[in-house]
Amino acid sequence: MPSSTEPPFRLEGRKVWVAGHGGMVGTAIVSRLERESCTILTVPHAEVDLRNQAQVEDWLAANKPEAVFLAAGTVGGIHANDTRPAEFIYDNIMMVANVVNGVWRQCQAKLLYLGSSCIYPRLAPQPMTEEALLSGGLEPTNQWYALAKISGIKLCQAYRRQYGCDFISAMPTNLYGPHDNYDLEASHVVPALIAKTHAARESGAESVEVWGTGKPKRELLYVEDLADALVFLMKSYSQEGHINVGTGVDVTIADLAALVARVIGFEGRFDFVTDKPDGAPRKLLDVSRLSDLGWRAQTDLEEGLRRAYAWYRDNVAGTT
Ligand code: GDP
C-alpha cells in the first residue's frame, strides 16, 4: 500500500496517470514527467468523462495507475465563475469524488489533488497560510468553485484518515502560461490582457479595456514552475495538510497590464471598466511551508509573460 510508504516516493518505472492532461496544467505536468522515466497514462475526455463514476472506475480497474495527478476540472476566470455556477460546483465535485473513491477502490495509487488559492476566505490575512482555510466567508464570485475545491481537500484527508490512502493536496495561486484559455468569456486575467493588448497593437487601437478598478492584487505562477512543484511534492510530501504553491510575490492588475504592454510593445492606454467585478482584493499565498521543504519558483513574471505571449502568437493569434 502506498499509504505505508514514507517519502521519497519513486516515480521511476511507475504508471502515472495525469487526469486532465488536455488543460494548461495537465499539459505542463505531462511534459515535466517526461524527465522522470515513468510511464505516463492519459485518457481522452470522449472515452472517460470524469463526472461519470462507472467510466472512471472501469478505466482505473483496467489501467491500475500507481500515481495520479488530479489536474482535471471545469475552470475559468472571474466572469465564467460568476455566470456558470452550476457547472463549476457540480463538475468539480463529481470529478474529485469519482477519482478519489475510484483510486481507493481500484488501485490504491498515491494521489495529488490540485486545488486553488480561492479556497481561502475573501478577507484572509495576507499572505495566506494553509491554516486560513475555513476561517471566514468566501469571495462571492468564485464561491462555487471554491466549495468544490474545499470538498476535494476534505475528501483526500478523509480517505487518508479512514482508509490510510496516500492522498495529498496542493493549492496553487493564479496560473498562466502556454496552453492557457484565450476565450475572453472564460479566461483569466493574463490571457485576456495578452489577447486584448495584442489585438490593440495589431489594429492600432489607442486603448485596451481592463475589468475592474485595476487595484486588486494577484500572485501569478508560471505553469511550468507549478508542474515542477507538483512532481517535487509527489516525490517528497505525504501529509494530511494541503500545501500552498506560489511565488510569494503579487502585483496589482494595473501594473500587470503595464507589464503586458511592455512585453507586447503596446504604447496606448488602459481604460478601467468599473462595472466589471474586481473579485477578491488580494490573495497572496504564504509559501513558507513549500520553501522549507526546498522548492522555489524559478520564472520571474516578465520572463513568464514573454513565454506565454510567444505561445499565444504561435498558436492562437491569427489562427481563428
Ligand atoms: P480571479 O483571480 O478569480 O479574480 O480571476 P481572474 O484572473 O479572472 O481576474 C483577476 C483580476 O483581473 C480581477 O480583478 C479581474 O476583474 C481583473 N481583470 C481585468 N481585466 C480582465 C479581463 O479582461 N479578464 C479577466 N478574467 N479578468 C480581468
Side-chain angles (χ1 to χ4, degrees):
M1 276 286 286
S3 53
S4 58
T5 343
E6 288 300 313
F9 176 82
R10 193 173 44 81
L11 282 171
E12 192 187 353
R14 285 203 148 127
K15 289 199 282 183
V16 183
W17 178 31
V18 181
H21 69 283
M24 174 172 72
V25 172
T27 306
I29 297 172
V30 167
S31 86
R32 175 62 187 78
L33 284 174
E34 280 159 4
R35 307 198 324 246
E36 294 295 323
S37 310
C38 57
T39 303
I40 302 167
L41 307 181
T42 60
V43 57
H45 186 77
E47 196 179 317
V48 176
D49 180 340
L50 296 176
R51 295 168 301 183
N52 181 309
Q53 185 179 19
Q55 289 181 5
V56 172
E57 296 256 344
D58 289 351
W59 188 85
L60 284 167
N63 291 278
K64 304 246 180 247
E66 296 161 282
V68 176
F69 288 87
L70 180 42
T74 292
V75 298
I78 193 163
H79 179 70
N81 268 274
D82 213 13
T83 52
R84 292 162 43 208
E87 286 170 67
F88 275 80
I89 193 163
Y90 175 82
D91 291 1
N92 289 304
I93 285 181
M94 292 303 284
M95 287 186 225
V96 66
N98 289 337
V99 173
V100 159
N101 191 63
V103 166
W104 165 60
R105 278 167 48 98
Q106 305 296 347
C107 58
Q108 294 89 41
K110 178 160 186 177
L111 180 144
L112 189 158
Y113 175 62
L114 234 84
S116 157
S117 61
C118 70
I119 59 163
Y120 293 116
R122 170 180 164 80
L123 299 176
Q126 307 284 318
M128 303 182 294
T129 63
E130 286 83 355
E131 283 69 36
L133 182 64
L134 295 173
S135 63
L138 295 168
E139 156 60 31
T141 52
N142 55 24
Q143 59 180 312
W144 325 97
Y145 182 70
L147 274 166
K149 289 291 167 188
I150 293 169
S151 306
I153 297 171
K154 292 295 170 191
L155 268 168
C156 291
Q157 291 178 351
Y159 277 66
R160 173 180 282 274
R161 280 200 194 176
Q162 188 173 346
Y163 304 129
C165 297
D166 194 359
F167 294 171
I168 60 173
S169 299
M171 296 307 115
T173 190
N174 286 39
L175 302 167
Y176 71 101
H179 301 273
D180 213 337
N181 180 353
Y182 282 88
D183 164 10
L184 293 180
E185 286 294 302
S187 68
H188 284 100
V189 62
V190 170
L193 289 178
I194 287 178
K196 292 194 277 193
T197 309
H198 174 83
R201 195 200 62 189
E202 295 298 286
S203 68
E206 287 174 4
S207 64
V208 168
E209 286 195 345
V210 178
W211 296 353
T213 59
K215 291 181 184 151
K217 296 184 98 177
R218 291 292 181 270
E219 177 186 12
L220 296 158
L221 179 67
Y222 189 61
V223 70
E224 291 175 15
D225 284 354
L226 172 71
D228 191 63
L230 298 179
V231 169
F232 172 83
L233 288 170
M234 178 65 92
K235 289 182 187 173
S236 61
Y237 187 73
S238 179
Q239 285 178 38
E240 180 178 298
H242 64 281
I243 189 151
N244 289 342
V245 185
T247 62
V249 180
D250 61 1
V251 62
T252 65
I253 298 300
D255 287 345
L256 174 67
L259 196 53
V260 168
R262 184 158 90 203
V263 164
I264 294 184
F266 170 69
E267 292 177 349
R269 61 170 202 280
F270 289 101
D271 292 336
F272 293 92
V273 188
T274 48
D275 58 351
K276 294 280 189 193
D278 265 346
R282 200 178 179 199
K283 39 184 181 170
L284 179 64
L285 292 178
D286 182 321
V287 290
S288 32
R289 195 171 283 175
L290 182 58
S291 323
D292 290 348
L293 290 172
W295 189 91
R296 262 170 234 282
Q298 297 296 323
T299 312
D300 82 13
L301 183 56
E302 183 161 349
E303 173 58 23
L305 290 173
R306 285 189 192 286
R307 290 194 219 161
Y309 180 51
W311 187 88
Y312 172 77
R313 268 198 329 254
D314 292 347
N315 295 279
V316 183
T319 60
T320 49

